[in-house]
Every structure is written in C-alpha cells, then in structure tokens.
Amino acid sequence: MQTQETPSRAVSTALENGHCAYSGKEARFLSRDSVATCASFRDAVRLAWEHRTVRGMTQRTLAELLEVKTSHMSNMLSHQAVDRHGKPRQDLPARYVAEFERVVGNRAVTQYLVRMAMLTLMEEVIHSQRTP
C-alpha cells in the first residue's frame, strides 16, 4: 500500500534537501522593485509568503513548521491589518522571521527591514547635517 505524502511532509523533505531554504546555501532575494512596493511589515510578510518556494505549502503547514497556532498564522498572513471588529491583527513576531524566511525560501522580510533601516539612517544623517 502506498502512503500519500502530506504537504507538511513534502515541505519537510524539501527543507532537508535544501530545496526550500537558503540554509547554508545562497539566500533567495526578491527584486528591489517588489520589496519597494511594501508599505508595511505586514506587506513584506505577505510578499514573502506569495513568493514561497514550495507553492503547495499551506498556511497550516507553515504554522506547523513554525510551531505556531494555525489561527495565529492566518492572522499574520491576512491582507487586512484589522479584523472585521476593528481589532488589529497579529504581526509575525521578530523571533520567527529567520525561520519563516527559511521555510518560505526567500528573504523579503529582511530585505524590507534593511530598506527601512537604511531610510531611517539616511534621514538621521540628513538631519545631523542640517543641525549645527
């Protein structure tokens, strides 16, 4: 009798074989233009998810691999920043960014954060040059 491979097992196998992750290998970066379209951290997380290496991976599988509740993962990956009751949705916690990127197979979140940090740094430099 053949056993059917679950999405979770397929992703785990891909991770082990280095197909999904950049672990130890070359990181997969998205284009600057793609990252530049992100207006928020949530947008960057969504962008990374939309460009995941394993296309068949579900939010449930991602949640299992990150050891996060499925409902929380669904909130983190939602397009809307607030739910239907006006309550802010949960963002991906910083402690999960590295593992999230490893599982989805790209570094869109880090690219967004670096881009924002550089803008902040440039703003500080400009401000310091104006002030005597």
Side-chain angles (χ1 to χ4, degrees):
M1 180 171 141
Q2 286 186 329
T3 59
Q4 186 175 359
E5 187 170 52
T6 63
S8 180
R9 187 173 295 155
V11 172
S12 294
T13 302
L15 285 171
E16 288 169 5
N17 294 332
H19 295 145
C20 180
Y22 57 83
S23 56
K25 296 192 178 184
E26 199 171 315
R28 187 170 143 238
F29 289 90
L30 300 184
S31 73
R32 279 184 172 174
D33 293 339
S34 294
V35 176
T37 65
C38 298
S40 67
F41 180 77
R42 176 174 298 280
D43 291 343
V45 171
R46 290 279 321 150
L47 179 68
W49 174 247
E50 289 165 5
H51 288 87
R52 63 192 178 274
T53 303
V54 178
R55 298 302 308 161
M57 182 181 1
T58 63
Q59 290 182 11
R60 180 179 179 172
T61 302
L62 176 62
E64 289 171 2
L65 291 168
L66 295 180
E67 298 178 358
V68 173
K69 288 185 178 181
T70 306
S71 60
H72 292 185
M73 186 55 61
S74 178
N75 274 331
M76 292 175 210
L77 295 175
S78 176
H79 289 286
Q80 290 86 25
V82 294
D83 66 13
R84 61 188 169 107
H85 302 292
K87 182 181 173 186
R89 293 188 186 271
Q90 180 180 8
D91 283 323
L92 181 71
R95 69 180 180 271
Y96 290 115
V97 170
E99 185 65 9
F100 172 80
E101 289 183 334
R102 188 179 78 79
V103 172
V104 298
N106 67 67
R107 302 206 54 191
V109 177
T110 297
Q111 286 177 264
Y112 170 79
L113 293 172
V114 167
R115 183 174 172 269
M116 291 296 101
M118 290 302 291
L119 289 176
T120 304
L121 181 61
M122 287 305 295
E123 291 166 355
E124 185 178 331
V125 167
I126 291 168
H127 177 74
S128 69
Q129 290 176 346
R130 287 187 198 159
T131 336

